[in-house]
Amino acid sequence: MSRAEPVAGTAARAPNPLWQLSLFRSEIGTVFRRWRTIALLGVLAAVPVLVGIAVKIETSGGGTVGGSGGGPAFLGQVTNNGLFLVFTSLAATLPFFLPMAIGVVAGDAIAGEASAGTLHYLLVAPAGRTRLLLAKYTATLAFCLVATLVVAASALAVGALLFPVGEVTLISGTTVSFAEGLLRALAIAGVVALSLVGVATLGLFVSTLTTSGIAAMATTVGLLITVQILDQFPQLHAVQPYLFPHHWLSFADLLRQPVYWDQILDNARLQLLYAAVFGSAAWARFTAKDIKA
């Protein structure tokens, strides 16, 4: 049975809370059942494996990593404590791999349904356009969290397998227990997931502008790359604090004692600003859009 069939049959009934809950569950399930989503999560899970193996091979030959300042943050500490592979992998995937995956899912949210011809049937349901858009957005945010946790979990498993684990020496020089280090790693994963809210909302807005899923995904990823480039030019320092990736690496401040909250809070406020602006724009566009397919 297709997604459209049960929805069309409920057109005459008034919406109810159980139906609305099932809509959210359905959208989240649809996102994570797609082969494209599974492939994206597989690629994200493979990054820590490749990084861990590369570091292991390099150090087994008597070499060192991170000594020249190259590579992701925390790379030099991985050999001493496998937990640092979590921080390294998040730092390595955050600039491109994680947001690209989010851009693909968010860009396909509305435009993918339109190109497949199922959007019209979804809108026959009593939930209406606003609830459908919220369900799509919730599913996209769920993917942000799951994708981040996949990277972190893969890195933790590989780090524990290939390197010693134990007490964690923070950036500030303070040593904390491995349990506290795990809690900080979980908090960092949460901050990274929050950092992806801006690009997720932007992608959802782009998805409401077109009926081509491929075009929406390509546009979102293209905007991501463009903004990343703009964030590197010193001449644009006046506008860079307002670009959604500007504070992405602020999660490193959670590895200080005491924690530096300023950049983390700036990042949270910036992501919520993007969510408010582009979320409102997506709602305005989608509720007024002429749906013919």
Side-chain angles (χ1 to χ4, degrees):
M1 182 178 292
S2 68
R3 296 180 62 190
E5 290 172 353
V7 172
T10 62
R13 296 199 300 268
N16 61 78
L18 291 178
W19 193 95
Q20 294 167 21
L21 181 61
S22 68
L23 173 65
F24 284 85
R25 287 202 305 261
S26 173
E27 289 302 328
I28 292 175
T30 298
V31 167
F32 288 99
R33 282 195 300 267
R34 288 174 176 154
W35 283 108
R36 179 176 59 240
T37 303
I38 296 173
L40 289 172
L41 293 176
V43 170
L44 291 173
V47 172
V49 178
L50 296 176
V51 173
I53 292 175
V55 172
K56 187 67 174 179
I57 293 175
E58 181 70 17
T59 54
S60 297
T64 58
V65 294
S68 61
F74 313 110
L75 187 61
Q77 291 95 330
V78 172
T79 54
N80 299 321
N81 194 327
L83 185 59
F84 275 92
L85 186 60
V86 176
F87 314 136
T88 301
S89 298
L90 290 173
T93 54
L94 186 54
F96 183 69
F97 290 105
L98 270 172
M100 183 196 68
I102 303 305
V104 169
V105 172
D108 188 58
I110 300 297
E113 298 283 5
S115 62
T118 55
L119 184 58
H120 173 74
Y121 295 101
L122 287 174
L123 293 177
V124 173
R129 298 191 182 201
T130 298
R131 289 187 180 89
L132 178 61
L133 187 66
L134 283 174
K136 294 287 187 181
Y137 189 42
T138 300
T140 303
L141 295 183
F143 180 78
C144 291
L145 180 60
V146 170
T148 304
L149 291 177
V150 163
V151 174
S154 174
L156 180 61
V158 174
L161 182 64
L162 297 181
F163 307 102
V165 293
E167 293 184 333
V168 179
T169 301
L170 305 178
I171 295 175
S172 55
T174 306
T175 300
V176 299
S177 66
F178 180 70
E180 183 175 339
L182 280 176
L183 288 177
R184 290 182 183 245
L186 183 61
I188 285 174
V191 171
V192 170
L194 177 62
S195 300
L196 299 169
V197 168
V199 68
T201 313
L202 179 61
L204 186 70
F205 169 63
V206 171
S207 188
T208 64
L209 300 177
T210 178
T211 58
S212 171
I214 295 178
M217 289 185 284
T219 301
T220 304
V221 174
L223 287 172
L224 166 68
I225 296 173
T226 301
V227 173
Q228 292 265 43
I229 293 174
L230 293 177
D231 199 35
Q232 302 303 314
F233 285 98
Q235 296 85 349
L236 300 176
H237 64 91
V239 299
Q240 285 171 348
Y242 302 99
L243 302 178
F244 59 80
H246 187 69
H247 301 293
W248 274 356
L249 296 182
S250 62
F251 71 79
D253 289 338
L254 285 170
L255 292 177
R256 302 181 188 275
Q257 185 66 30
V259 174
Y260 292 176
W261 290 104
D262 291 350
Q263 293 293 319
I264 296 174
L265 293 177
D266 285 344
N267 179 45
R269 284 189 287 264
L270 184 62
Q271 301 307 320
L272 293 177
L273 176 63
Y274 270 81
V277 172
F278 287 100
S280 299
W283 175 82
R285 169 62 180 169
F286 187 59
T287 53
K289 188 175 183 179
D290 183 18
I291 307 296
K292 297 180 179 179

